[in-house]
Amino acid sequence: MIRLFEQHRIRNQKELEGIWDFVTEDGRKYSLTVPGCWEQHPELINYRGKGTYTKKVYVSQKTNLRLEFKGVSHTADVYLDNVFVMHHYNAFTPFAGIIRGVQPGEHVIRVEVDNSFNEKSALHIPNDYYTYGGLTRPVVLEEIADVYIENIHFTPKLEADKWTGEIEVWTRNIADTTANVDIICEFAGEHIAEKDIQITASTNKCIVIKHSFEKVAPWSIENPKLYMLNMQLMQDGQIIDDLIERVGFREVSWEGTRLCLNGTPVFLHGFNRHEDYGVIGCAIPPQLMMQDMNLMQDMGANAVRTCHYPNDERFLDLCDERGMLVWEENHARGLDLERMQNPHFDEQCKDCIDEMITNHYNHPSIVIWGILNECASETEEGREKYKMQYEQIKELDKTRPTTSATCRHFTDICLDLPDVVSFNMYSGWYQDVSVLERHNKEMDWIATAGGAGKPIIVSEFGAAAMYGYRDRGRSKWSEERQADIIEENLRVYKEDDRLTGIFIWQFADCRVTEEGGWFATRARSHNNKGVVDEYRRPKEAYDVVKQWFTNWEKK
Ligand code: ADA
């Protein structure tokens, strides 16, 4: 399944799911499922290095091929019939390439994948989550015309109780001659058209359409109403391409200390969720995404943070359908200044932000963009990079607020930069201190350090517990103690009107790397702070969270 909804009725699209040939760099051959992690194979559980996937495809007539990878972990070099097509770094964002004039017959797609840690990888490093290996998200093969729709962005706006929308249609002409096209769109009960558009040879063109909508229902947590935006491209009276996007009419704003959805203040209460699940690693299929969603909503959550990287589009589709608000962030966790000064860091972050927003812009569930979790925001050099990335986000999307989860308590010099201030706090776990006292100290500091008058989110809080470890003494690592610590935090945050959101760390246990010394503080080489374990077995904290979150809005 490529997305949770159909994106093409005209364009010929297929998912290259199933069995691919795979060979490690030392010549071991396997048949692996795609999407999938190579760690699923018993001989590759800890394999870190290079491997090559190959797949034969058949083309029935001469055509242009568009080959898209929704996620390859973590570096890919793609070839068609041994001709280089494209390179991509970072496991968590989609990328696509065009191959013009492919002859009919059999062709071979080859993907050289590398999940090793090296100086060229500034973001995938030994860390408190696992960098898997493989074609971990869907692979899509499309036959496209010389002129096609590359992307669509929809920006809803509520003006005097009336919804208007701006539709940006990015078209591309890969032919050697100028094209004359029309675009037509059925959307939210309206028929929209733009005629006689000229697209010069070998260029892109963005067509902007503004329209007002009489009879639409807003997208909200309670009623996440979605509309299909069906865009078709016509040339000489023929529909030669199409792209269907699914969008919602909603506005995010931040007024004073609150985040607002359609003008109404909202309190985000939910989980940090890594893409990691028992035996299948990060290649979570929609069935299990659905299970995660069901569990989080059973506990009464209304928000999820995609710690610490852009998520699979199908999970974001599910959040759109279920009214689950999303904090999505670029890929970074705990990079100190030295790591932020890796020569590849700036470009790899820039590409990640660009691909995240370009591809995820239309998801109504995404209400905030995050960057650089716990990176070097206490340094001047780090501040320059935070500033650059916030500015890049605003260039791409002015409709959503920005934030970053800091742990540089009392030393952070970047709180003036984002729209929303967020901090990670482990009172009761790493520090045996009063949650209330430590929280007020943090909030007082934030008010003097650039965060005054801004919305504030506690982006992480929680404790570890080994699933099944029960202890009447409620010692640390027992399920009982985890439940106690989470409850003490919830009790404090519930009473603090200065907050606009809280995220428990974390929804489920996740694998971590042995490299980097994480094994020492991460029993089983897992981060065990999940409210459920990696197989989604609930710990005692599950019912505590459920009791608090399901009654959260009631004062
Ligand atoms: C940090 C970090 C998380 C996780 C957490 C923990 O706040 O942002 O990724 O490592 O600590 O479990 O200690």
Side-chain angles (χ1 to χ4, degrees):
M1 188 190 297
I2 299 169
R3 295 291 293 273
L4 297 198
F5 62 95
E6 179 190 46
Q7 281 208 292
H8 296 285
R9 292 184 186 147
I10 305 295
R11 187 186 300 181
N12 183 350
Q13 174 189 67
K14 67 177 173 184
E15 183 183 357
L16 299 182
E17 66 175 333
I19 307 300
W20 287 52
D21 293 330
F22 180 75
V23 58
T24 60
E25 57 189 323
D26 57 2
R28 288 175 287 152
K29 295 186 173 159
Y30 302 90
S31 294
L32 297 183
T33 53
V34 171
C37 304
W38 61 51
E39 289 83 359
Q40 287 175 251
H41 192 288
E43 295 174 11
L44 302 172
I45 294 174
N46 300 311
Y47 183 65
R48 189 165 298 290
K50 294 187 174 78
T52 301
Y53 287 84
T54 50
K55 178 84 176 174
K56 288 188 180 120
V57 293
Y58 187 81
V59 174
S60 56
Q61 60 187 5
K62 183 177 178 184
T63 183
N64 304 315
L65 289 183
R66 179 177 180 275
L67 180 56
E68 181 177 12
F69 294 83
K70 297 292 187 178
V72 178
S73 190
H74 63 60
T75 295
D77 284 297
V78 180
Y79 300 82
L80 183 74
D81 303 331
N82 295 322
V83 176
F84 177 76
V85 176
M86 58 190 160
H87 169 87
H88 187 265
Y89 172 81
N90 207 333
F92 305 114
T93 45
F95 60 103
I98 306 290
I99 308 108
R100 285 191 63 193
V102 177
Q103 295 301 331
E106 190 172 84
H107 298 273
V108 176
I109 296 171
R110 187 174 93 244
V111 190
E112 295 174 359
V113 180
D114 183 358
N115 80 334
S116 61
F117 298 133
N118 56 59
E119 70 292 338
K120 284 184 291 179
S121 173
L123 307 176
H124 286 280
I125 65 171
N127 222 324
D128 199 14
Y129 61 96
Y130 200 80
T131 286
Y132 290 93
L135 307 184
T136 54
R137 294 181 185 168
V139 182
V140 188
L141 185 67
E142 298 171 344
E143 295 180 6
I144 56 162
D146 281 347
V147 191
Y148 67 97
I149 302 169
E150 195 164 52
N151 200 4
I152 295 171
H153 279 181
F154 171 69
T155 306
K157 195 158 181 51
L158 187 59
E159 288 164 317
D161 285 341
K162 229 165 127 183
W163 284 104
T164 63
E166 180 179 275
I167 305 169
E168 293 167 285
V169 185
W170 275 280
T171 58
R172 191 171 174 197
N173 176 5
I174 59 176
D176 304 329
T177 54
T178 296
N180 288 291
V181 297
D182 304 334
I183 52 175
I184 54 175
C185 170
E186 300 303 325
F187 172 43
E190 302 282 332
H191 175 80
I192 301 166
E194 289 281 314
K195 305 270 188 190
D196 303 328
I197 301 157
Q198 284 217 347
I199 309 174
T200 316
S202 308
T203 63
N204 298 358
K205 186 179 187 102
C206 180
I207 299 122
V208 181
I209 304 167
K210 293 187 192 305
H211 202 88
S212 59
F213 298 87
E214 299 302 323
K215 309 175 290 295
V216 291
W219 186 92
S220 68
I221 294 173
E222 300 74 23
N223 179 26
K225 177 70 179 160
L226 293 168
Y227 291 86
M228 308 310 288
L229 193 161
N230 184 346
M231 185 68 68
Q232 297 182 332
L233 191 70
M234 294 183 78
Q235 188 173 41
D236 305 329
Q238 296 290 320
I239 302 173
I240 60 170
D241 193 38
D242 69 339
L243 176 57
I244 301 168
E245 284 289 326
R246 193 174 68 175
V247 299
F249 287 83
R250 68 102 184 86
E251 271 190 334
V252 183
S253 59
W254 46 107
E255 292 144 32
T257 61
R258 296 311 291 270
L259 204 60
C260 297
L261 193 65
N262 300 331
T264 305
V266 65
F267 190 95
L268 308 181
H269 50 280
F271 296 96
N272 285 276
R273 174 180 175 270
H274 266 297
E275 288 183 330
D276 192 314
Y277 200 118
V279 294
I280 49 172
C282 69
I284 302 177
Q287 300 88 321
L288 296 180
M289 291 177 186
M290 178 66 85
Q291 186 187 359
D292 282 0
M293 178 63 73
N294 288 338
L295 290 170
M296 288 191 286
Q297 292 196 321
D298 178 60
M299 283 188 269
N302 71 0
V304 61
R305 176 184 175 212
T306 68
C307 59
H308 299 289
Y309 38 74
N311 266 201
D312 188 312
E313 290 167 347
R314 297 167 299 174
F315 181 71
L316 300 173
D317 288 342
L318 192 53
C319 292
D320 293 342
E321 290 180 9
R322 299 282 287 262
M324 178 69 87
L325 303 180
V326 177
W327 159 338
E328 187 165 57
E329 61 186 34
N330 75 344
H331 178 203
R333 183 212 165 276
L335 305 175
D336 61 15
L337 182 57
E338 184 186 359
R339 285 198 179 277
M340 290 180 82
Q341 290 172 330
N342 174 306
H344 302 279
F345 175 84
D346 287 341
E347 183 189 7
Q348 290 176 351
C349 285
K350 181 182 179 304
D351 290 347
C352 183
I353 290 171
D354 188 45
E355 291 161 355
M356 174 175 76
I357 296 179
T358 300
N359 289 285
H360 297 171
Y361 183 88
N362 291 332
H363 289 283
S365 56
I366 299 176
V367 294
I368 192 165
W369 296 118
I371 60 169
L372 301 178
N373 177 75
E374 297 197 342
C375 295
S377 55
E378 80 285 10
T379 68
E380 284 302 338
E381 301 89 332
R383 178 184 167 86
E384 284 317 299
K385 295 173 186 291
Y386 274 78
K387 188 166 179 293
M388 181 166 62
Q389 293 189 23
Y390 285 130
E391 287 168 354
Q392 180 192 357
I393 290 177
K394 288 299 181 187
E395 277 299 306
L396 294 167
D397 181 2
K398 292 179 176 55
T399 69
R400 293 174 171 102
T402 56
T403 193
S404 176
T406 185
C407 69
R408 286 358 190 224
H409 308 296
F410 313 120
T411 59
D412 198 303
I413 58 171
C414 295
L415 301 189
D416 60 310
L417 298 174
D419 300 308
V420 175
V421 169
S422 301
F423 63 92
N424 299 337
M425 184 59 67
Y426 285 89
S427 303
W429 178 251
Y430 291 126
Q431 302 91 22
D432 284 324
V433 294
S434 147
V435 173
L436 180 60
E437 282 173 26
R438 181 65 187 80
H439 176 65
N440 286 330
K441 209 171 152 198
E442 187 81 2
M443 297 295 281
D444 294 346
W445 162 68
I446 287 171
T448 65
K454 290 185 178 180
I456 299 175
I457 291 175
V458 185
S459 32
E460 293 179 26
F461 67 95
M466 304 300 285
Y467 174 78
Y469 172 47
R470 309 301 296 273
D471 175 31
R472 286 181 61 79
R474 311 184 84 84
S475 61
K476 283 192 175 176
W477 294 97
S478 68
E479 290 191 25
E480 293 88 344
R481 186 66 168 275
Q482 179 192 41
D484 292 348
I485 292 169
I486 289 176
E487 183 156 39
E488 187 188 353
N489 279 270
L490 291 170
R491 184 173 286 113
V492 168
Y493 304 143
K494 171 88 167 157
E495 296 309 316
D496 189 347
D497 290 339
R498 296 169 292 180
L499 297 177
T500 200
I502 59 171
F503 290 87
I504 292 173
W505 184 275
Q506 64 174 325
F507 168 64
D509 293 350
C510 70
R511 188 176 175 185
V512 305
T513 64
E514 191 169 308
E515 304 96 323
W518 288 100
F519 68 92
T521 60
R522 297 292 186 266
R524 313 183 299 137
S525 285
H526 273 69
N527 181 305
N528 298 287
K529 296 189 182 71
V531 168
V532 300
D533 77 352
E534 63 269 32
Y535 302 103
R536 275 53 180 174
R537 298 179 297 183
K539 302 175 188 174
E540 188 166 309
Y542 183 102
D543 289 323
V544 168
V545 172
K546 180 168 180 173
Q547 185 196 343
W548 280 84
F549 274 180
T550 47
N551 298 300
W552 194 267
E553 301 305 344
K554 299 179 191 96
K555 278 286 179 200

